[in-house]
Structures are given as C-alpha cells and as structure tokens.
Amino acid sequence: MRIVRLRSAGGDLEAAFAPAAGLVGCSLTHRGEELLAQRKGLEEYARSGSTFGIPFLHPWANRLAGFAYAVGGHEVELDRDSELLRLEEHGLPSHGLRPSGLEWEVEERGDGLSASAAFDGARLEAFPYPHRLGVEVTLADDALTLETTLTPTSATSVPVAFGYHPYLRIPGAPRAEWEVDMPVDSRLVLDENMIPTGEAETPAFRHGVLGDRALDDGYELPERARPFTVAAGGRTLGVEFLEGYTHAQTYAPADQDLICFEPMTAPANALISHDGLRLAAPGEPFSAAFRITVDA
C-alpha cells in the first residue's frame, strides 16, 4: 500500500497518510515518538474500517439513530448488509462509509500534500449527493493542519456532516496522569444508544486529570472555540478548531491509552434529526479546517 510521508521543515514532526485507505493519517511522530494510537492498524482499517490514527469520517461522523434519513428532497434507506456500512455496538450505522473504493489523487510536496476524490458510483446509493472532496495537509514543526473542502458536482445541495477522529496518545506518560482541558459549556444529552436527544447540559468534567475516567461525550463548540488539550510528561497535544467545525466529541475508553478530540461539522445523527445540519449549495464549496498541535 502506498504511504505518503511528510516531514516538517525543522524535522521535529513527521506524518504519514495512506491514500488507498481513505487517506487515513496512519502516523504522526514528534522527535521519533508516535503520537497516534495504532489500535488494530492500517491493514485492518483498510479491510474493515476499524478506526485508528486520523480517519476521515464521511458522509457522516459518529452514529445515526437508524437506517433511513431524508434531506434535500431525497429519502434514503441504507442497506444494512452493504459492505460500505460500519455498524457500532448497538447495530447502528456509524462513522460514515468505509474507506475502500474512494480513489484519492494525491500531489506530494515534502511538508504537505493536496488530495482530491470524487464521491460517486456505489456510494451514491447510501448518500445520493454527488460531490468532490479535497484535502490540504500542511506539516509544520509544531502542528499538523488538515483543511477539507466539499464541492457539489450536480444541481443537488450536499448535506455536510463529516468529521475526523484523531486517536491521540502521549508516549512515555501513564494515561492516569494525563491532564485534559476541554473549554466547552454545552454537553449534548444522549439517549441509551448514544444518540443526542436535542437537549444540552453543563459538562460534569471539563478540566483535570484523566485518571481512570472513561469519556464518550459530544459538545457544541462555542463561537470562538479554544483548543482541546491533553498534557503529560512535558508534552501537550491539542486539537484546534480553525473553521467550519461546530461540534466535537471526546472519546477516551478507560482500558485504552488514547484520547480523541474529534472535530465534527454537525452533531451525531444530524442526517436524521437535522439539528445543526448545513447544506453546501451548488457552486458554493464548504470548507472546514482543524489543527493538531504539539508543544514540548
């Protein structure tokens, strides 16, 4: 499998992306130490969609409450047996369509890359909104920036609900000692299937030591969102929401040495609830950008 490797000008950060596996970010190292949780790895992600690294979740991030949705005059019934669908522990569609078959054209430039892919073919059965995706990746000594642009390619407006799922880890520091900071005021209330109810509340945990705490929470970002960070062992990792992202998810299972700060262009289940859902109109590309920062 082709791997595109990037290196910052000063050499502190190196990154790798796999175009044939959905353009997943499969490595991000700082001074030779891996900052991304590898979980089951690249081959399993390409085969089954089992997430790791920095996967791109499209055309929806997180869960849907069922297998049918209606947006922009289209009524869609998802095929439960489709090889493109990923199902979570409740049997619900999650994290969009599997990366297999989405053909990314990539132009490398040493400390960055430009990639584009047409969303067409069999994928339109699950998401009947033709469009093109573009991703600009830039690597500096202190940050990895990803800007994603969705451009409608027909007279049909395209629902915008994509996101990313960066699996971060701090090498050499026990998970129990990681200091977390999530500057948010609004946590989404979830039902028994982890679907937003439409209500919100003040988060019970926003700052402090992770300890043995497990997190799987969705948030509405404030208008001027500040970075989510995790710090330990003299290193701070952050996710900065630059533009286009209105929601975020934090995921930190108690039995894994990782934490995810997930940029989302809409809350979970937006294709069904329509809460916070935006449309990219023909001739009006939609862009969103976030940055993973490294401070040592």
Side-chain angles (χ1 to χ4, degrees), residues 59-61 64 69-72 74 127 129 150 157-162 244 246-247 264-280 286:
W60 65 87
L64 296 180
Y69 66 90
V71 179
H74 289 279
F127 192 72
Y129 310 92
L150 184 157
S157 295
V158 182
V160 177
F162 65 78
T246 57
H247 291 75
M264 299 171 61
T265 54
N269 197 44
L271 291 181
I272 294 177
S273 70
H274 298 176
D275 291 342
L277 185 65
R278 292 169 287 178
L279 298 177
F286 175 92

Side-chain angles (χ1 to χ4, degrees), residues 99-240:
S100 55
L102 192 60
E103 297 183 3
W104 289 92
E105 301 173 1
V106 176
E107 179 182 343
E108 306 176 40
R109 54 175 191 275
D111 62 350
L113 64 82
S114 299
S116 64
F119 189 97
D120 54 17
R123 292 175 178 270
L124 293 177
E125 296 179 8
F127 192 72
Y129 310 92
H131 59 279
R132 191 161 190 87
L133 296 165
V135 178
E136 292 286 335
V137 178
T138 305
L139 191 65
D141 281 334
D142 62 350
L144 173 71
T145 302
L146 288 89
E147 180 179 8
T148 305
T149 300
L150 184 157
T151 303
T153 54
S154 74
T156 302
S157 295
V158 182
V160 177
F162 65 78
Y164 284 82
H165 201 311
Y167 287 88
L168 303 178
R169 61 184 291 272
I170 299 185
R175 178 193 186 278
E177 298 177 5
W178 296 359
E179 290 268 357
V180 176
D181 183 33
M182 300 177 295
V184 290
D185 299 316
S186 181
R187 173 185 176 273
L188 305 183
V189 177
L190 307 178
D191 67 15
E192 65 276 8
N193 289 328
M194 304 295 289
I195 300 296
T197 64
E199 299 179 341
E201 62 186 8
T202 301
F205 175 75
R206 287 179 280 190
H207 319 280
V209 177
L210 189 57
D212 61 358
R213 183 180 282 106
L215 300 174
D216 195 358
D217 298 302
Y219 308 97
E220 182 178 358
L221 293 173
E223 184 175 350
R224 296 184 178 179
R226 290 183 289 133
F228 286 26
T229 62
V230 56
R235 184 184 273 128
T236 300
L237 307 182
V239 171
E240 186 176 353

Side-chain angles (χ1 to χ4, degrees), residues 33-46:
E33 295 187 293
E34 182 61 64
L35 304 180
L36 301 180
Q38 296 298 304
R39 306 184 87 207
K40 295 181 181 180
L42 176 58
E43 297 297 333
E44 184 62 24
Y45 178 69

